Amino acid sequence: MIASINRTKEILNKYDLQAKKRFGQNFLIDSNIVSKIVNTANIDENTVVIEIGPGIGAMTELLAKAAKRVICFEIDSDMVNIINNEIINEGARNVEIKEIDFLKVNLKDYNLEGEKVIVVSNLPYYITTPIIFKLLNEEVIKEIYVMVQDEVARRLVGLPKTKDYGSLSVMIKYLATAKFEFKVGRNCFFPAPNVDSGIVSIKRTKNDYNLKNEPKFLKFVQSIFEMRRKTLINNLLKDYDYKRNELEEKIASITGDINCRAESLSLDEIIKIYQILGLDK
C-alpha cells in the first residue's frame, strides 16, 4: 500500500469511512516519510515489530516486508477490517491485527520472550503519553521509534531548566536514551492536524543507580512534576508525610536551594533526593 493522498482517499471511500476525531486519526500520506521511519528503525528478519494504531496500514506493509513478525494493536474495528482485507489477505502473512486498546494489553500473552522486539508507531496524539509510559515499563521492548506531536517529541528529549523538561524527560533519562530523529510536517497527513510531528528513537539502557523499587521511584518523579509552578518542597508536602523543616534541610543538602522546582533538577539530583528521603524501600 503506497502512502499517498489519492490512495488514502481511495481506501476510505471504498469502505465508506472518514478519519475519526475520537480516535485521533490522521493518516500518513507521504511514502518518503514512511520509508524514512522504517529505515531509521533498522529492522531485520529477526525483528518483531509492534505497531500501535496502524490506521489503514500506510506503514504496516513496509514493516511486514522487513520484519519477522508485525503485531498491530488497533482500537477501531473499521481499521482492523481494512488491515485484514488490504494487507493480511493480500499476502502479508506475518502481520497480526488485534482489536484492543494497547493500554489494556499484556505483552506476556504474545510469546515475545527471547525475541528482538521494537515498537514502530505513529501514535494517536490524544493518548501518546500514557502509551509511552506503558512502553517504558515493558522490559521485553528494547527499542521504540514513535511519531508524536512535536511538543511531546521535545519533552521526550528535554533537558533540565527548559520548558520541555518534565516527568517524561526524567523517566526517559532513567530508563533509556532518546534522540530526536527528524521532523514531520503537518501536511504529510490526511486530514492535516494543527501541529507538526517528530520522530523520536528511544533505546533502553542499563544504569548504575541500583534503586530497590523502580515503580515507586517513577511514581515519585511524576509526583514532583505534577504542579510545575509549585516548589519541590510544596509538591512533596502534598504527597508525602514530612514536615517542612525536615524537607528544607534535606533538599538544601542536595541542591543548596530550598525554593528549587523539579524542572531545575538533574536526574542524579532527583535520585539523591528520593534516596535521602528514605523512599527507596
Side-chain angles (χ1 to χ4, degrees), residues 253-264:
S253 71
I254 303 296
T255 70
D257 180 9
I258 63 172
N259 295 313
C260 66
R261 291 178 169 81
E263 64 196 50
S264 70

Side-chain angles (χ1 to χ4, degrees), residues 96-134:
E96 307 162 41
I97 181 77
K98 310 294 180 182
E99 186 179 341
I100 186 172
D101 180 348
F102 182 72
L103 293 177
K104 299 177 181 177
V105 168
N106 184 348
L107 289 181
K108 292 180 180 179
D109 296 335
Y110 294 89
N111 301 315
L112 297 174
E113 289 301 323
E115 299 280 12
K116 174 190 172 184
V117 182
I118 71 171
V119 173
V120 184
S121 293
N122 171 21
L123 295 182
Y125 288 170
Y126 77 105
I127 202 169
T128 294
T129 302
I131 288 178
I132 290 176
F133 276 129
K134 177 176 173 62

Side-chain angles (χ1 to χ4, degrees), residues 105-198:
V105 168
N106 184 348
L107 289 181
K108 292 180 180 179
D109 296 335
Y110 294 89
N111 301 315
L112 297 174
E113 289 301 323
E115 299 280 12
K116 174 190 172 184
V117 182
I118 71 171
V119 173
V120 184
S121 293
N122 171 21
L123 295 182
Y125 288 170
Y126 77 105
I127 202 169
T128 294
T129 302
I131 288 178
I132 290 176
F133 276 129
K134 177 176 173 62
L135 293 176
L136 289 173
N137 283 296
E138 295 284 358
E139 291 188 4
V140 72
I141 297 171
K142 303 306 179 188
E143 298 181 12
I144 302 166
Y145 300 85
V146 286
M147 176 150 51
V148 296
Q149 188 172 335
D150 187 62
E151 177 185 350
V152 176
R154 304 295 175 184
R155 284 167 50 202
L156 289 170
V157 298
L159 297 174
K161 300 179 181 178
T162 68
K163 65 180 179 62
D164 297 320
Y165 189 65
S167 59
L168 195 54
S169 315
V170 175
M171 281 187 65
I172 293 289
K173 292 181 192 309
Y174 177 74
L175 295 169
T177 58
K179 178 185 176 184
F180 187 94
E181 296 287 351
F182 56 91
K183 192 170 183 175
V184 180
R186 64 196 73 186
N187 292 328
C188 294
F189 299 89
F190 175 79
N194 296 323
V195 294
D196 295 328
S197 296

Side-chain angles (χ1 to χ4, degrees), residues 184-219:
V184 180
R186 64 196 73 186
N187 292 328
C188 294
F189 299 89
F190 175 79
N194 296 323
V195 294
D196 295 328
S197 296
I199 302 295
V200 176
S201 61
I202 303 169
K203 300 181 180 181
R204 280 193 171 277
T205 54
K206 291 185 178 180
N207 60 57
D208 299 321
Y209 294 112
N210 296 318
L211 295 182
K212 298 174 184 176
N213 192 330
E214 284 191 352
K216 189 175 180 181
F217 170 68
L218 298 177
K219 185 177 180 181

Side-chain angles (χ1 to χ4, degrees), residues 5-19:
I5 183 63
N6 290 335
R7 180 59 172 154
T8 299
K9 288 183 176 180
E10 178 186 330
I11 290 290
L12 293 176
N13 289 335
K14 178 179 178 180
Y15 291 88
D16 193 23
L17 297 171
Q18 56 186 352

